Amino acid sequence: MKKVFRGSCTAMLVGKDATIDGSTMICRDNDAHGSIEPQRFIVVKPEEQPKVYKSVITGLEVELPDNPLKVTLTPRSNLVEGQWGSSGINSDNVSMSATETITTNSRILGIDPYNMEGLGEEDLEVITLPFIHSAKEGVEHLGALLEKYGTYEPNGISFADKDEIWWLETIGGHNWAAVRIPDDAYVVAPNRMNIDDFDFDSNDTLCSTGLKELIEKNHMNPDTGKYNLRHIFGSATVRDSEYNNPRAWYIQKLFTPDVEQDPRDQDLPFICHANKKLSIEDVKFALSSHYENTPYDPYGKMGTEEEKKMFRPIGMNRNHSLHILQIRNDVPKEIAAVQWLVFGVNTFGAIVPFYTNIEDTPATYRDTTVSFDPKYVYWLSHAMALIGDYDYDLYQDSRNTFELEAVAKFRNIQLKTDEEAASSKDIPALLTKANEELAKESYDRSIKLLGDMIELGSPKMKLSFDLMG
């Protein structure tokens, strides 16, 4: 087995009655184990998909079902450790995000050890998304694979269709549990086990065979009268209180501000309700945030230097993409699925609404190189983030204006494309063309912002000398 690299992402899920437009959204910023990990946006057609999948990390071979669907994916550019499909939407408008690395404890690992020859994050998207026709079926399909092959790591995976969102967490080597997210709720999931209260008899939960009996037989439940899976299978460490819990606290503070909570709290709720309906822009801000307007903001002025380094922010240098997988309910199904993407460091990028019922993806997102090349949006975004990080205040207005104007233009293109689809005889061709226009806008605006930042920053260089001084 090759060395396993684990990311440290932040996931967010928003039910259809909790969004401003009635869509479902599953979202995640995709963090790398290092500060650079180039990523691509691709479409894979049924005839391009293998009959047998082989994991690069473990060598495990999995025979895949017949009749795969067309899917979009956001895999790595460097395939040495495998594809890592990460996020996508299939041609039946089912979305999947895999994975959120989570936590576990020694009690469950003693009972159900990891299978180091099993499945992991590298594999899950590409062996599941092409073969499912609803969010619930995604849970059932992946759950069966986990029970059969096992896994070598703990992960959280989300699925959505136009009506439902499901969140699955792996438990030990072969067990798992999943919850249907209420339509009027949102969820924030950092790198810990997140599911708390779990009703084994509910129609809105699913789990591996015999999970309840495993808990009872091995005396695993610390609570009386309920099953809290985070208490039973998860962790509650100092690392959680500094690395994980504050991220959930901050987003819950943004959207449910009337609830007073501590950023270190080990029992922050899993299911939450916002005080307003959430938009794409709300979610993008949350998943790019760094504790703005608190003492913990690394760029802020409120806290001490110690406070600014106290908690791990959501937006950080190890972000290499952000996706919001949206299934809309106010448009025809042929144009309902949208894969909103930021490549690079989320805080410094604008999110682009790419359609997924397409024939190909734009080259500036599809062909990202392993090493720096400014022809690709991923690398442009990282260049802007690197410069912006050195003097956030200097560049903040330029960055904010860039994002405002870019997303407004993207929405305008989307609106016009939605209208044109009503009379189009070839919708995939129309949407593929729209994606090209969106990508060009994204690239051109990124180039302009980079130029503006260079012009703003050059007078501040230390290598300067005033002849009149």
Side-chain angles (χ1 to χ4, degrees), residues 125-180:
E125 188 89 20
V126 295
I127 65 172
T128 304
L129 184 59
F131 310 105
I132 58 177
H133 308 276
S134 70
K136 185 176 182 180
E137 185 181 339
V139 171
E140 294 168 334
H141 182 93
L142 179 56
L145 291 171
L146 290 167
E147 291 186 58
K148 180 176 181 179
Y149 296 106
T151 183
Y152 52 80
E153 60 185 5
N155 282 309
I157 301 98
S158 54
F159 300 91
D161 52 41
K162 68 182 181 64
D163 294 315
E164 296 187 351
I165 296 174
W166 283 79
W167 173 257
L168 180 152
E169 293 186 326
T170 66
I171 298 170
H174 301 81
N175 286 280
W176 57 274
V179 174
R180 182 185 183 275

Side-chain angles (χ1 to χ4, degrees), residues 305-362:
E305 290 305 307
E306 182 180 357
E307 286 175 320
K308 292 178 183 181
K309 299 176 182 177
M310 192 172 292
F311 301 138
R312 183 236 135 127
I314 297 169
M316 65 185 307
N317 66 329
R318 287 189 284 112
N319 302 146
H320 61 97
S321 69
L322 185 162
H323 55 262
I324 301 176
L325 307 180
Q326 181 186 37
I327 311 297
R328 301 184 290 172
N329 279 296
D330 61 341
V331 295
K333 64 181 182 180
E334 292 82 6
I335 61 172
V338 182
Q339 188 159 352
W340 295 76
L341 290 176
V342 181
F343 273 4
V345 180
N346 306 334
T347 301
F348 295 90
I351 195 159
V352 187
F354 290 117
Y355 294 94
T356 62
N357 180 15
I358 52 174
E359 296 302 324
D360 200 357
T361 51

Side-chain angles (χ1 to χ4, degrees), residues 111-126:
I111 298 161
D112 182 17
Y114 291 139
N115 176 16
M116 304 311 291
E117 282 74 48
L119 300 168
E121 181 173 355
E122 174 207 343
D123 317 303
L124 302 184
E125 188 89 20
V126 295

Side-chain angles (χ1 to χ4, degrees), residues 292-306:
E292 288 91 332
N293 296 320
T294 78
Y296 314 117
D297 184 359
Y299 294 135
K301 295 181 173 63
M302 295 174 62
T304 65
E305 290 305 307
E306 182 180 357

Side-chain angles (χ1 to χ4, degrees), residues 55-303:
S55 170
V56 172
I57 290 178
T58 66
L60 176 68
E61 294 190 0
V62 178
E63 188 172 344
L64 299 176
D66 294 328
N67 302 316
L69 300 170
K70 181 170 66 176
V71 299
T72 57
L73 297 172
T74 49
R76 295 177 176 183
S77 296
N78 187 343
L79 300 179
V80 172
E81 296 294 336
Q83 190 175 49
W84 299 65
S86 182
S87 69
I89 303 177
N90 70 27
S91 52
D92 270 4
N93 289 354
V94 181
S95 59
M96 178 181 176
S97 178
T99 72
E100 180 74 21
T101 303
I102 60 172
T103 56
T104 189
N105 62 51
S106 59
R107 296 185 298 278
I108 181 59
L109 291 180
I111 298 161
D112 182 17
Y114 291 139
N115 176 16
M116 304 311 291
E117 282 74 48
L119 300 168
E121 181 173 355
E122 174 207 343
D123 317 303
L124 302 184
E125 188 89 20
V126 295
I127 65 172
T128 304
L129 184 59
F131 310 105
I132 58 177
H133 308 276
S134 70
K136 185 176 182 180
E137 185 181 339
V139 171
E140 294 168 334
H141 182 93
L142 179 56
L145 291 171
L146 290 167
E147 291 186 58
K148 180 176 181 179
Y149 296 106
T151 183
Y152 52 80
E153 60 185 5
N155 282 309
I157 301 98
S158 54
F159 300 91
D161 52 41
K162 68 182 181 64
D163 294 315
E164 296 187 351
I165 296 174
W166 283 79
W167 173 257
L168 180 152
E169 293 186 326
T170 66
I171 298 170
H174 301 81
N175 286 280
W176 57 274
V179 174
R180 182 185 183 275
I181 308 306
D183 294 340
D184 64 348
Y186 74 92
V187 161
V188 185
N191 302 118
R192 65 175 186 198
M193 185 152 197
N194 292 281
I195 299 174
D196 47 22
D197 293 340
F198 190 84
D199 182 355
F200 282 95
D201 297 320
S202 171
N203 291 328
D204 293 329
T205 63
L206 293 166
C207 65
S208 51
T209 306
L211 185 65
K212 184 177 181 181
E213 291 73 21
L214 180 149
I215 295 169
E216 300 296 345
K217 177 182 177 181
N218 294 281
H219 313 292
M220 300 191 70
N221 192 359
D223 299 313
T224 301
K226 66 176 183 177
Y227 294 90
N228 182 314
L229 299 193
R230 196 186 307 165
H231 292 172
I232 296 170
F233 300 118
S235 62
T237 65
V238 172
R239 176 181 169 87
D240 289 321
S241 67
E242 296 177 352
Y243 193 84
N244 291 320
N245 305 340
R247 284 181 278 159
W249 165 80
Y250 185 71
I251 295 181
Q252 291 176 16
K253 177 181 172 68
L254 287 176
F255 300 137
T256 317
D258 50 320
V259 178
E260 291 288 335
Q261 298 175 142
D262 187 283
R264 294 183 177 86
D265 190 348
Q266 303 284 12
D267 284 315
L268 293 170
F270 176 58
I271 302 294
C272 302
H273 294 85
N275 66 351
K276 65 172 185 176
K277 295 196 173 187
L278 302 181
S279 67
I280 291 288
E281 287 85 351
D282 291 326
V283 174
K284 196 279 178 181
F285 176 82
L287 290 180
S288 304
S289 61
H290 40 87
Y291 304 115
E292 288 91 332
N293 296 320
T294 78
Y296 314 117
D297 184 359
Y299 294 135
K301 295 181 173 63
M302 295 174 62

Side-chain angles (χ1 to χ4, degrees), residues 299 301 348 387-401 449 452-461:
Y299 294 135
K301 295 181 173 63
F348 295 90
I387 295 173
D389 184 72
Y390 279 91
D391 194 337
Y392 186 78
D393 288 344
L394 177 64
Y395 301 112
Q396 185 176 15
D397 286 345
S398 297
R399 189 211 67 82
N400 289 346
T401 300
L449 177 58
D452 291 345
M453 293 174 76
I454 291 171
E455 291 182 22
L456 271 174
S458 292
K460 303 282 187 178
M461 290 178 66

